[in-house]
Every structure is written in C-alpha cells, then in structure tokens.
C-alpha cells in the first residue's frame, strides 16, 4: 500500500459545480498536510495548508480527519481556471530524526463550460 | 525575486552519457529539494538538503545518481551513466524555513535515448 494515495481522476465537472477530493495516508504519526496545484507542464505550487480545525481560502476548503487518516479539498463554484492536478503532501517524523515528506500522485480536475 | 532557477530546461542525451542538472534556490532559503516526475510514478522526492547538508537521500534511485550542494546558492544533480528509464522532468525546489512552503523551479525535461 502506498503511503499517500489519491484518486487519479479525472474529475470532469461543469463550471459552477462543487467538487471534492480525498487523500488518504497510512502513517498515523503524520504531522503536517498540504495541497499543491500543478498545471499541465508546469511546476507544482502550494495551494493551502491543512489544519486540524480545517481552513478555508475563498472557494477552497481543506479538512483533516485524523481518525480516518485522510485529508480533503473542497472546491466550490468551480472555474475553468481550476482545471489542474491537485497533489496532497504529507509530512511525518522519521526514525532517522528528520521529517519525511511524501507527495501523492495527484488528482486531475477538468472543469468544462 | 527571480524564483528558483534550473538549467538546462531541456536535455536530450544518449544512454551512457553523464548528465548534470543545476539549480539555484531562492536567496535565503534554508531547504533545497530535488524531485523527479514521470507519468507512471508521479512526483518523487529524491533528496533534500538543509543548510547545504543532505538530510534525506532515501529517494535517490541508485548509485548512478548523486547530488551536491557546495554552497547556499547552488546545487547539482548528476546521473552517470544515464539510462532511458531516467527520462523524466526533474524539479528543484527551495523552502525558507519549513518543508511545506516549497517554491518549485520550472523543471528540467530530460530525455535519454
């Protein structure tokens, strides 16, 4: 089983729709969680952090469920410009004394008119 | 700020040749990361440095790969000898203080024939 798993999609949704992605992680000691966005043939860019209490940034809401070991990203009122691949990132402490960082494979979103 | 700078942007080489990828992180950033991205395997962390010291190199595929950071403003990723399966986009990223807020460079697209 992969340490971080995402549904690869693609999620095809019309403009204005609400869409949600999940990302599951296997290490219960994971400490920090983030969502990155990657446009086609571009580099990833930090979208938002995921806090235990959940956080919202405009149309985007990120949540953490430690009991079930997943994080989620909700996008409301989808725009054409939201079309991209969304990568989750999990950081956990490692026995070597440093933090280990793992990217999920990404979920592709395609918003159509 | 110029952002993370990578060179070359594209590299085509023949199997068996040595390849050197270069990265200049954002000034003042303490962390530097090297990633490889392919369709099959997604985004993989190869190695990261903190204050020029390698911290986690568990993602480095094999002895053919080596990374150095001789000073705070420069890092290299070397593949010797290169193989067709090394074909991928290689990203360099830097982070100011933490692992999460990473700024990626535009990537180097490597093709090994």
């Amino acid at each position: 089983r992969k340490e971080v798993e995402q549904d690869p999609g693609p999620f095809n949704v019309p403009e204005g729709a609400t869409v949600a992605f999940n990302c599951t992680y296997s290490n219960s000691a994971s400490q920090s969680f983030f969502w990155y966005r990657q446009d086609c043939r571009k580099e990833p860019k930090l979208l938002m952090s995921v806090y235990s209490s959940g956080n919202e940034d405009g149309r985007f809401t990120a949540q953490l469920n430690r009991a079930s070991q997943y994080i989620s990203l909700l996008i409301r009122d989808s725009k054409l410009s939201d079309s991209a691949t969304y990568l989750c990132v999990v950081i956990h402490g490692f026995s070597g004394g440093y933090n280990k960082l793992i990217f999920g494979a990404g979920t592709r979103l395609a918003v159509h008119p | 700020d110029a952002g993370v700078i990578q060179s070359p942007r594209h590299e085509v080489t023949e199997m068996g040749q040595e390849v050197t990828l270069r990265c200049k992180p954002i000034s003042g950033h303490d962390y530097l990361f090297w990633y490889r991205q392919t369709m099959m395997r997604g985004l993989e962390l190869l190695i990261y440095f903190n204050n020029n010291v390698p911290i986690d190199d568990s993602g480095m595929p094999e002895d053919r790969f080596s990374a150095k950071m001789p000073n705070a403003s420069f890092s290299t990723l070397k593949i010797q000898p290169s193989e067709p399966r090394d074909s991928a986009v290689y990203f360099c990223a830097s982070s100011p203080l933490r692992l999460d807020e990473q700024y990626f460079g535009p990537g180097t697209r490597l093709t090994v024939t």
Side-chain angles (χ1 to χ4, degrees):
Chain A
R1 182 187 172 190
K2 290 183 180 179
E3 291 190 75
V4 177
E5 294 200 74
Q6 295 184 253
D7 182 339
F11 284 61
N12 293 301
V13 302
E15 275 187 290
T18 296
V19 62
F21 315 130
N22 283 343
C23 168
T24 59
Y25 59 94
S26 60
N27 190 325
S28 60
S30 296
Q31 305 161 338
S32 306
F33 310 87
F34 310 91
W35 285 102
Y36 276 72
R37 169 194 169 127
Q38 186 174 23
D39 293 302
C40 187
R41 301 181 76 85
K42 296 285 189 180
E43 70 273 19
K45 292 184 179 179
L46 179 64
L47 179 64
M48 60 197 306
S49 303
V50 186
Y51 304 124
S52 297
S53 56
N55 53 310
E56 189 172 314
D57 183 3
R59 298 182 293 109
F60 297 81
T61 300
Q63 292 193 315
L64 166 64
N65 186 318
R66 284 196 182 274
S68 300
Q69 294 184 203
Y70 73 87
I71 62 173
S72 63
L73 178 67
L74 180 78
I75 305 175
R76 290 180 298 276
D77 189 22
S78 299
K79 311 290 185 191
L80 295 176
S81 58
D82 294 334
S83 298
T85 296
Y86 292 83
L87 307 163
C88 67
V89 180
V90 175
I91 297 175
H92 62 81
F94 193 60
S95 59
Y98 55 86
N99 288 322
K100 196 161 183 65
L101 182 151
I102 304 166
F103 271 81
T107 296
R108 195 153 64 89
L109 172 65
V111 182
H112 57 83
Chain B
D1 198 324
V4 175
I5 299 172
Q6 290 187 247
S7 64
R9 294 292 306 277
H10 301 272
E11 177 82 31
V12 180
T13 191
E14 292 184 347
M15 183 173 64
Q17 296 298 306
E18 178 178 294
V19 175
T20 299
L21 311 181
R22 297 173 176 79
C23 175
K24 177 178 168 54
I26 294 172
S27 177
H29 282 194
D30 291 340
Y31 288 88
L32 183 139
F33 307 81
W34 281 103
Y35 292 90
R36 176 174 68 177
Q37 188 172 39
T38 62
M39 287 293 291
M40 290 294 294
R41 300 174 67 91
L43 192 65
E44 301 174 281
L45 176 65
L46 301 177
I47 185 171
Y48 78 86
F49 296 82
N50 182 18
N51 292 321
N52 312 339
V53 176
I55 301 300
D56 180 8
D57 65 354
S58 60
M60 294 287 266
E62 49 200 88
D63 291 345
R64 297 185 299 106
F65 285 68
S66 62
K68 293 182 179 179
M69 192 166 185
N71 57 62
S73 59
F74 183 66
S75 178
T76 59
L77 178 68
K78 188 173 294 186
I79 308 172
Q80 166 62 20
S82 58
E83 297 182 2
R85 60 190 169 125
D86 300 330
S87 298
V89 179
Y90 290 81
F91 288 105
C92 175
S94 70
S95 175
L97 289 175
R98 309 177 302 184
L99 297 187
D100 56 300
E101 190 181 358
Q102 295 184 46
Y103 295 82
F104 282 74
T108 295
R109 187 171 296 273
L110 173 66
T111 303
V112 183
T113 60

